[in-house]
Amino acid sequence: MNYTIRKIESKDNAAMAKIIRTVFHELDAPKEGTAYADPILDTLSKVYVRPNEIYFVVEVDGEVLGGSGIAPLAGNDANICELQKMYFAPELRGKGIAQVLIEKCLSFAKEAGFDQCYLETLPFMTAAQKLYKKVGFQYTDAPLGCTGHGSCDVFMIKEL
């Protein structure tokens, strides 16, 4: 599959919001206390604008089919970033693209000067957790920062 990973643009906002919401419906995942309810979901290109944050999308034949971002972990004084809003349309899954995207995000985080990368997910998102472990994330017992995602109760962190 030929694909391009690039920084999000305003024309991609609606596609990424739809993908994220669709995944939540597909998995019958909680809508409150998760990325689904984030007030920024429809304007991602306007959110990831500072030099130490970025959101990448995966494009296939001109269509955005997934993405993920890096931003400083809110409510934390340590030099920790957060892997955020990593979601893919079904046709993109299982092709190794998610690992390429995570590695691109982690490379950006390291270049931006972060020491660790944190993420939160849901317990039944086992395929995602398997990938996170594969790239070096480890489980941690308690949440860090103030993500606003109270329904997410799996916490992972990686040294960069």
Side-chain angles (χ1 to χ4, degrees):
M1 174 180 282
N2 287 332
Y3 64 91
T4 302
I5 297 176
R6 61 171 174 78
K7 187 175 178 181
I8 194 167
E9 300 173 13
S10 59
K11 67 179 182 175
D12 307 319
N13 287 336
M16 268 319 303
K18 181 179 179 183
I19 290 165
I20 293 169
R21 289 184 177 111
T22 299
V23 169
F24 275 83
H25 289 290
E26 173 189 336
L27 299 175
D28 196 25
K31 310 303 184 283
E32 295 299 319
T34 62
Y36 188 94
D38 283 353
I40 62 162
L41 197 57
D42 293 301
T43 58
L44 293 178
S45 69
K46 293 180 181 178
V47 175
Y48 296 85
V49 295
R50 297 185 312 204
N52 63 345
E53 55 193 27
I54 196 162
Y55 195 91
F56 293 111
V57 294
V58 180
E59 185 178 68
V60 178
D61 296 329
E63 183 179 6
V64 171
L65 296 177
S68 183
I70 290 286
L73 178 61
N76 189 290
D77 292 334
N79 200 23
I80 302 173
C81 65
E82 183 183 11
L83 182 71
Q84 299 179 338
K85 294 172 185 54
M86 183 159 182
Y87 294 95
F88 294 90
E91 57 267 39
L92 207 60
R93 298 179 201 154
K95 297 180 176 12
I97 300 169
Q99 183 170 345
V100 173
L101 181 58
I102 282 183
E103 289 171 355
K104 188 168 183 74
C105 286
L106 293 174
S107 177
F108 172 86
K110 191 170 184 173
E111 289 173 18
F114 292 106
D115 297 322
Q116 295 176 303
C117 186
Y118 171 78
L119 66 84
E120 295 176 341
T121 189
L122 295 162
F124 54 84
M125 292 185 165
T126 54
Q129 290 176 51
K130 182 179 176 182
L131 175 59
Y132 299 145
K133 287 190 287 187
K134 183 177 180 180
V135 298
F137 281 88
Q138 298 178 335
Y139 292 103
T140 185
D141 294 332
L144 299 176
C146 300
T147 66
H149 295 162
S151 292
C152 294
D153 54 1
V154 175
F155 319 106
M156 301 179 84
I157 198 159
K158 174 183 173 46
E159 297 290 328
L160 295 175

